[in-house]
Amino acid sequence: QVVMWECAARNILWGGAAGPGKSTGARWWLYQRCLTIPGFEALLLRENYKQLLQTHIRRIEGEAPRLGATLLRSDGVLKFPNGSLIQCGHMEDVDAVQNYLSTEYDAIVADEGSQYPVTPEGDVPLLELSTRARSNKPGVRAAGGAKFVVVSNPGGPTSGALLDVFID
């Protein structure tokens, strides 16, 4: 987790086997930014809503009080007293990306990103979403700028595209 937290790259692929704490580390990385950068706005995604509930939202409910944050569960938003927030969402189908394209985010974390859908033409909506990780906020720029982070295990529909973008 330390390597990911300290990575200066704008686009980060954090891959590996299941179980070592990638999802937890990514969530706490977002918490740290929300707590230290007033007005920080992040998007935290999972493949579908059921997975979002079973992983992040369930854990956020328990962690929010320790952070001094409030989870608005019906909106899927974790709000911090300094104006920062984490919006939770999913990429259940290729059209889900439309829910996020009208907003700029200081960070986008796509958990289990290799499992997100691909269009019949082979387009990867997740990569289109990466263009929304942008910020002119001084606090975000001082912390290394906006970030697009894909957390994933090997394999899945978008694996080839992630390999092309992040490795090849």
Side-chain angles (χ1 to χ4, degrees), residues 97-98 101 124-132:
V97 71
Q98 299 301 320
L101 294 180
V124 180
L126 176 61
L127 298 181
E128 181 180 2
L129 183 60
S130 72
T131 65
R132 298 319 190 260

Side-chain angles (χ1 to χ4, degrees), residues 39-112:
F40 188 85
E41 297 176 277
L43 177 61
L44 176 60
L45 298 168
R46 278 294 294 222
E47 179 189 354
N48 59 55
Y49 187 70
K50 182 178 179 183
Q51 290 174 357
L52 182 67
L53 285 174
Q54 290 175 341
T55 58
H56 294 296
I57 290 180
R58 179 174 62 175
R59 287 173 179 81
I60 287 170
E61 285 178 323
E63 295 161 351
R66 291 187 289 165
L67 299 166
T70 303
L71 176 63
L72 306 174
R73 188 174 176 146
S74 61
D75 296 330
V77 175
L78 180 64
K79 289 192 159 202
F80 292 78
N82 66 357
S84 294
L85 64 85
I86 299 172
Q87 176 186 348
C88 298
H90 65 81
M91 293 285 287
E92 193 154 339
D93 55 54
V94 296
D95 294 326
V97 71
Q98 299 301 320
N99 296 323
Y100 316 111
L101 294 180
S102 64
T103 305
E104 292 183 356
Y105 298 96
D106 302 317
I108 298 172
V109 173
D111 193 13
E112 297 297 346

Side-chain angles (χ1 to χ4, degrees), residues 108-121:
I108 298 172
V109 173
D111 193 13
E112 297 297 346
S114 68
Q115 298 301 318
Y116 294 5
V118 176
T119 69
E121 300 78 31

